[in-house]
């Protein structure tokens, strides 16, 4: 009896494993493609967009924190590296995170690690030349998102923090 069902059970197990591996390979890229397209609606690819203060209706991708200001740069490095410049922001905390096409974190730098200096990175594929003065960040796949998050200091007016955050830029090298 077991012999009769052994081949179908093995085939079922093989198909299950194949589907599991396919899911692991496809889903992260599909989710990042969706995220890049949603974020790009606000300002386009390879352009930094500075979101307004979060409200109860703010739901572009995930549930955003009302204590953070967000700026994002959906990027495509197919033609050339994308340069990201973030000046120091006088806030309790800020960070620059870069996510690749598979949703992996390719780079993170916060205000403590930056030590009061600007963060200048060049998001690039392997083999692409990076301009001098920029830290190379090599990504898997050509598209992803660079995200600046700034913690709001509720004891001070938000205008200075917001103005400093809006100085963050990204664009194609060259």
């Amino acid at each position: 009896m077991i012999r009769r069902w052994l081949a179908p059970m093995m085939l079922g197990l093989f198909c299950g494993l194949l589907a599991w591996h396919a899911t692991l390979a496809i889903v992260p890229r599909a989710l990042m493609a969706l995220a890049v397209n949603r974020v790009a609606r606000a300002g386009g690819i390879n352009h930094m967009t500075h979101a307004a203060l979060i409200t109860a209706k703010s739901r572009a991708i995930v549930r955003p924190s009302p204590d953070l200001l967000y700026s994002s740069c959906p990027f495509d490095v197919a033609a050339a590296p994308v340069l990201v410049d973030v000046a120091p922001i006088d806030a309790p905390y800020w960070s620059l995170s870069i996510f690749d096409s598979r949703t992996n974190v390719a780079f993170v730098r916060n205000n403590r690690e930056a030590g009061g200096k600007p963060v200048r990175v060049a998001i690039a594929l392997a083999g692409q030349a990076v301009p001098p003065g920029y830290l190379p960040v090599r990504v898997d796949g050509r598209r992803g998102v660079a995200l600046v998050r700034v913690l709001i200091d509720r004891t001070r007016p938000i205008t200075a923090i917001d103005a400093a955050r809006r100085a963050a830029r990204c664009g194609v090298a060259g």
Side-chain angles (χ1 to χ4, degrees):
M1 173 113 173
I2 291 178
R3 266 191 162 164
R4 192 168 113 197
W5 290 102
L6 188 58
M9 286 179 9
M10 294 303 287
L11 180 62
L13 180 64
F14 174 75
C15 289
L17 288 172
L18 188 63
W20 177 56
H21 280 283
T23 300
L24 290 177
I26 294 169
V27 169
R29 288 187 192 276
L31 288 174
M32 184 52 78
L34 177 66
V36 167
N37 290 336
R38 278 186 143 177
V39 173
R41 284 186 208 153
I45 298 287
N46 300 330
H47 177 75
M48 188 72 74
T49 302
H50 309 285
L53 190 60
I54 299 304
T55 68
K57 295 184 181 197
S58 304
R59 299 281 187 265
I61 298 173
V62 296
R63 295 183 87 173
S65 170
D67 294 326
L68 296 174
L69 292 172
Y70 296 92
S71 296
S72 57
C73 173
F75 63 82
D76 187 334
V77 295
V82 172
L83 308 180
V84 180
D85 292 282
V86 181
I89 301 168
D90 186 20
Y93 177 84
W94 62 267
S95 68
L96 167 65
S97 303
I98 299 172
F99 302 91
D100 71 11
S101 66
R102 291 179 34 197
T103 70
N104 295 320
V105 178
F107 177 85
V108 175
R109 182 75 37 95
N110 64 36
N111 57 325
R112 293 176 185 103
E113 296 165 333
K117 295 182 178 165
V119 176
R120 301 180 79 204
V121 298
I123 308 167
L125 295 171
Q128 286 180 327
V130 173
Y134 284 86
L135 177 67
V137 175
R138 304 292 177 183
V139 291
D140 176 36
R142 63 185 185 96
R143 297 182 87 192
V145 175
L147 181 64
V148 176
R149 290 176 276 213
V150 182
L151 181 63
I152 300 168
D153 182 352
R154 299 275 183 191
T155 64
R156 297 180 2 206
I158 195 172
T159 52
I161 293 172
D162 190 37
R165 170 196 58 126
R166 289 177 181 275
R169 299 279 178 253
C170 79
V172 177

